[in-house]
Amino acid sequence: MDLREEGAGLVDIVFSSHVIEWRGPSPFYFVPVPAEQSADIREVAPMATYGWGVIPVEARVGEISFATSLFPKDGGYLVPLKQAVRKPQGLSPGDEVTVELTVRL
Protein backbone atom coordinates (compact mmCIF):
# COMPACT_ATOMS: atom_id res chain seq x y z
CA MET A 1 0.00 0.00 0.00
CA ASP A 2 1.10 3.55 -0.71
CA LEU A 3 -0.77 6.35 1.06
CA ARG A 4 0.45 9.94 1.10
CA GLU A 5 -1.38 12.97 2.39
CA GLU A 6 -0.23 16.04 0.58
CA GLY A 7 -0.46 19.64 1.72
CA ALA A 8 -2.76 20.49 -1.19
CA GLY A 9 -5.66 18.46 0.24
CA LEU A 10 -4.93 15.30 -1.74
CA VAL A 11 -4.55 11.69 -0.64
CA ASP A 12 -2.71 9.33 -3.01
CA ILE A 13 -3.31 5.56 -2.97
CA VAL A 14 -1.85 2.82 -5.20
CA PHE A 15 -3.11 -0.78 -5.29
CA SER A 16 -3.55 -3.80 -7.56
CA SER A 17 -6.85 -5.66 -7.97
CA HIS A 18 -8.88 -7.56 -10.58
CA VAL A 19 -11.47 -6.13 -12.95
CA ILE A 20 -15.00 -7.32 -12.13
CA GLU A 21 -18.22 -7.10 -14.12
CA TRP A 22 -21.59 -6.21 -12.63
CA ARG A 23 -24.50 -7.31 -14.76
CA GLY A 24 -27.50 -5.06 -14.51
CA PRO A 25 -29.64 -3.59 -17.24
CA SER A 26 -26.28 -2.99 -18.93
CA PRO A 27 -22.87 -4.28 -17.84
CA PHE A 28 -20.62 -2.12 -15.70
CA TYR A 29 -16.97 -2.79 -14.94
CA PHE A 30 -15.17 -1.98 -11.70
CA VAL A 31 -11.93 -2.52 -9.85
CA PRO A 32 -12.57 -3.25 -6.14
CA VAL A 33 -10.39 -1.29 -3.73
CA PRO A 34 -8.73 -3.74 -1.29
CA ALA A 35 -9.81 -3.66 2.38
CA GLU A 36 -6.68 -1.90 3.67
CA GLN A 37 -6.92 0.95 1.17
CA SER A 38 -10.72 1.16 1.63
CA ALA A 39 -10.09 1.72 5.35
CA ASP A 40 -7.69 4.55 4.49
CA ILE A 41 -10.30 6.11 2.19
CA ARG A 42 -13.01 5.83 4.88
CA GLU A 43 -10.79 7.92 7.18
CA VAL A 44 -10.92 10.87 4.76
CA ALA A 45 -14.35 10.16 3.25
CA PRO A 46 -16.25 12.74 5.36
CA MET A 47 -13.98 15.48 3.95
CA ALA A 48 -14.17 14.22 0.36
CA THR A 49 -17.71 12.97 -0.32
CA TYR A 50 -20.23 15.14 -2.10
CA GLY A 51 -23.17 12.91 -1.19
CA TRP A 52 -24.41 9.31 -1.21
CA GLY A 53 -20.98 8.20 -0.01
CA VAL A 54 -19.32 8.61 -3.42
CA ILE A 55 -15.74 9.90 -3.32
CA PRO A 56 -14.38 12.05 -6.18
CA VAL A 57 -10.96 10.89 -7.39
CA GLU A 58 -8.46 11.24 -10.17
CA ALA A 59 -7.49 7.75 -11.30
CA ARG A 60 -4.84 6.21 -13.50
CA VAL A 61 -4.89 2.70 -14.98
CA GLY A 62 -1.94 1.98 -17.22
CA GLU A 63 -1.30 5.05 -19.36
CA ILE A 64 -4.83 6.44 -19.03
CA SER A 65 -5.76 9.05 -16.42
CA PHE A 66 -9.40 9.93 -15.78
CA ALA A 67 -11.72 11.60 -13.27
CA THR A 68 -14.35 9.42 -11.61
CA SER A 69 -16.01 8.75 -8.27
CA LEU A 70 -15.55 5.72 -6.04
CA PHE A 71 -18.79 3.86 -5.30
CA PRO A 72 -19.28 2.54 -1.76
CA LYS A 73 -19.99 -1.22 -1.71
CA ASP A 74 -20.13 -3.62 1.26
CA GLY A 75 -17.83 -1.50 3.44
CA GLY A 76 -15.33 -0.95 0.63
CA TYR A 77 -15.20 0.98 -2.63
CA LEU A 78 -15.34 0.25 -6.35
CA VAL A 79 -13.48 2.17 -9.06
CA PRO A 80 -15.69 2.39 -12.18
CA LEU A 81 -13.89 1.59 -15.44
CA LYS A 82 -15.32 3.30 -18.49
CA GLN A 83 -15.06 1.76 -21.92
CA ALA A 84 -12.60 4.54 -22.82
CA VAL A 85 -10.23 3.10 -20.19
CA ARG A 86 -10.86 -0.61 -20.78
CA LYS A 87 -10.89 -0.88 -24.58
CA PRO A 88 -7.53 0.74 -25.44
CA GLN A 89 -5.83 -1.47 -22.85
CA GLY A 90 -7.77 -4.62 -23.71
CA LEU A 91 -9.02 -5.04 -20.13
CA SER A 92 -11.57 -7.76 -19.36
CA PRO A 93 -13.10 -9.20 -16.18
CA GLY A 94 -10.46 -11.07 -14.21
CA ASP A 95 -7.52 -9.00 -15.48
CA GLU A 96 -5.27 -7.66 -12.73
CA VAL A 97 -4.59 -3.94 -12.92
CA THR A 98 -2.68 -1.42 -10.87
CA VAL A 99 -4.73 1.64 -9.98
CA GLU A 100 -3.36 4.97 -8.83
CA LEU A 101 -5.94 7.16 -7.08
CA THR A 102 -5.83 10.70 -5.84
CA VAL A 103 -8.67 11.47 -3.45
CA ARG A 104 -9.52 15.16 -3.61
CA LEU A 105 -10.30 16.65 -0.22
Side-chain angles (χ1 to χ4, degrees), residues 1-5 11-14 37 40-41 43-44:
M1 181 204 68
D2 178 16
L3 172 68
R4 295 185 313 268
E5 291 190 49
V11 176
D12 294 329
I13 296 172
V14 178
Q37 289 83 0
D40 293 332
I41 293 167
E43 287 182 26
V44 298

Side-chain angles (χ1 to χ4, degrees), residues 59-66 81 85 89 91 97-100:
R60 181 181 185 90
V61 174
E63 297 300 316
I64 300 176
S65 297
F66 55 102
L81 287 183
V85 175
Q89 300 182 76
L91 297 176
V97 295
T98 298
V99 179
E100 299 175 35

Side-chain angles (χ1 to χ4, degrees), residues 20-86:
I20 62 169
E21 180 179 10
W22 178 78
R23 285 239 174 244
S26 61
F28 292 93
Y29 299 87
F30 298 96
V31 178
V33 178
E36 184 177 348
Q37 289 83 0
S38 288
D40 293 332
I41 293 167
R42 274 193 304 281
E43 287 182 26
V44 298
M47 297 177 282
T49 188
Y50 53 83
W52 309 292
V54 297
I55 309 293
V57 296
E58 296 292 327
R60 181 181 185 90
V61 174
E63 297 300 316
I64 300 176
S65 297
F66 55 102
T68 191
S69 293
L70 303 179
F71 290 21
K73 175 78 168 133
D74 299 331
Y77 294 94
L78 299 173
V79 180
L81 287 183
K82 304 182 232 183
Q83 186 171 351
V85 175
R86 290 188 334 273

